[in-house]
């Protein structure tokens, strides 16, 4: 920590969710004279990364809030929970302005900034490390898997979304490299959003050849009216020779099941 104060150069650990984005931001910090170790940390991973941070803490940790704010919040809490990294200054960069007040309340001793002011925020954080880190008050939850992983979307895939609600794109947040969402044509994965049995029955045979096929329907706890449930969806899909093999929640409104062709005995 002393070296950063004397020379103006800081040893930075940058945690992000996109390899390209993390490296671009790391390079900008290197040009400003800092030593930067950029890491892309996927959901469900991080035990080794946290151990390294605890055993060899940097001068400051920068966490990207732009794409996966819930992951960033959980990572900040996890860093604070370990004795070796508890007093490391943490800068949270970017993020949705509407969500930041709640995050600030949960993480009161961390520095928040826009990316355009990251240099000043980094300098301030190093010069003013937390005196009494708020470790015990933080809820350290394991980050939930991103939606693209739940939907089995991998790098390079195209995904056909049929009648998607606007909130689907907000829930998706990001996609693997070189993958894309389309709303017409054929794709590697199809996601059909439906509200009624009649709607699904009218379309199921056409969709049966487009597997893997996700059928998304409103949850019973949502405000959307629907006569669909997992049992009726399975029954309708079976008439087209499809069986389900996975179910997941898209968000608080929509659930989805994925179907494949039934194997012939």
């Amino acid at each position: 920590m002393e070296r950063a104060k004397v020379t103006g150069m800081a040893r930075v650990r940058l945690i992000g969710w996109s390899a390209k984005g993390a490296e671009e931001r790391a390079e900008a910090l290197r040009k400003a004279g800092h030593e930067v170790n950029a890491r892309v940390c996927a959901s469900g991973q991080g035990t080794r990364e946290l151990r390294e941070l605890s055993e060899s803490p940097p001068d400051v940790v920068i966490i990207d809030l732009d794409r996966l704010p819930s992951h960033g919040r959980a990572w900040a809490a996890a860093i604070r929970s370990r004795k070796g990294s508890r007093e490391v200054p943490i800068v949270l960069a970017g993020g949705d302005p509407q969500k930041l007040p709640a995050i600030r309340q949960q993480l009161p001793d961390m520095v928040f900034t826009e990316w355009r002011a990251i240099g000043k925020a980094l300098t301030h954080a190093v010069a003013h490390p937390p005196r009494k880190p708020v470790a015990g008050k933080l809820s350290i939850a394991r980050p939930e898997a991103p939606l693209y992983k739940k939907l089995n979307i991998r790098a390079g895939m195209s995904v056909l979304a049929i009648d998607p609600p606007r909130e689907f794109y907000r829930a998706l947040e990001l996609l693997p490299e070189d993958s894309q969402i389309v709303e017409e044509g054929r794709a590697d994965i199809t996601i059909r959003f439906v509200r009624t049995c009649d709607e699904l029955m009218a379309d199921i045979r056409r969709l049966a050849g487009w597997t893997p096929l996700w059928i998304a329907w409103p949850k019973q706890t949502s405000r959307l009216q629907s006569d669909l449930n997992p049992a009726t969806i399975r029954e309708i899909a079976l008439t087209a020779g499809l069986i389900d093999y996975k179910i997941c929640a898209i968000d608080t409104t929509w659930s989805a099941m994925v179907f494949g062709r039934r194997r012939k005995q």
Side-chain angles (χ1 to χ4, degrees):
M1 200 77 70
E2 192 64 30
R3 178 174 55 169
K5 292 181 181 180
V6 173
T7 66
M9 183 274 285
R11 291 175 294 113
V12 180
R13 182 67 59 89
L14 174 62
I15 296 175
W17 324 109
S18 160
K20 182 180 179 182
E23 190 52 40
E24 287 178 352
R25 283 167 173 155
E27 188 58 31
L29 290 168
R30 292 186 187 111
K31 289 180 179 178
H34 301 292
E35 179 184 321
V36 185
N37 184 346
R39 299 290 183 90
V40 176
C41 298
S43 173
Q45 299 176 349
T47 301
R48 180 179 177 182
E49 178 75 17
L50 288 169
R51 186 172 61 249
E52 289 180 4
L53 272 168
S54 183
E55 293 174 351
S56 181
D59 295 322
V60 61
V61 174
I62 298 175
I63 300 177
D64 185 356
L65 285 187
D66 274 344
R67 305 192 73 175
L68 291 172
S70 60
H71 287 41
R73 185 173 61 247
W75 268 87
I79 292 169
R80 278 285 189 267
S81 73
R82 292 187 170 239
K83 185 177 180 180
S85 57
R86 186 165 298 162
E87 297 182 358
V88 174
I90 297 176
V91 176
L92 300 173
D96 184 344
Q98 294 183 347
K99 297 179 180 179
L100 287 180
I103 300 177
R104 285 178 183 270
Q105 187 174 8
Q106 293 173 336
L107 309 173
D109 60 358
M110 300 183 189
V111 176
F112 289 77
T113 184
E114 297 179 0
W115 279 107
R116 62 184 179 182
I118 190 64
K120 291 182 179 179
L122 186 157
T123 300
H124 176 81
V126 171
H128 302 87
R131 294 181 178 180
K132 295 181 179 180
V134 184
K137 298 181 180 180
L138 297 179
S139 174
I140 305 166
R142 182 173 178 173
E144 184 182 3
L147 182 55
Y148 76 82
K149 283 195 173 184
K150 293 182 182 181
L151 296 175
N152 302 331
I153 302 172
R154 297 187 297 275
M157 280 187 168
S158 58
V159 181
L160 173 62
I162 303 176
D163 295 334
R166 286 183 297 177
E167 55 264 31
F168 169 63
Y169 296 100
R170 291 197 295 267
L172 197 59
E173 284 193 317
L174 81 165
L175 286 169
E177 188 175 2
D178 296 327
S179 59
Q180 61 177 334
I181 301 292
V182 299
E183 295 190 10
E184 60 182 3
R186 299 292 289 269
D188 299 304
I189 294 176
T190 301
I191 305 174
R192 175 69 161 100
F193 289 82
V194 291
R195 295 194 185 189
T196 68
C197 288
D198 289 343
E199 186 181 3
L200 181 57
M201 286 190 291
D203 213 18
I204 191 65
R205 294 193 180 278
R206 178 179 71 90
L207 298 173
W210 302 1
T211 56
L213 169 66
W214 285 93
I215 301 297
W217 75 98
K219 297 178 179 179
Q220 290 185 345
T221 55
S222 74
R223 296 182 179 180
L224 299 180
Q225 292 187 348
S226 175
D227 57 357
L228 289 167
N229 59 55
T232 57
I233 294 172
R234 289 188 180 101
E235 184 178 349
I236 294 170
L238 189 60
T239 65
L242 299 176
I243 57 171
D244 65 289
Y245 55 91
K246 183 179 180 181
I247 188 169
C248 78
I250 290 178
D251 57 17
T252 57
T253 301
W254 297 87
S255 291
M257 285 194 296
V258 64
F259 291 83
R261 286 192 174 279
R262 188 177 186 182
R263 293 182 181 179
K264 295 182 179 180
Q265 301 294 329

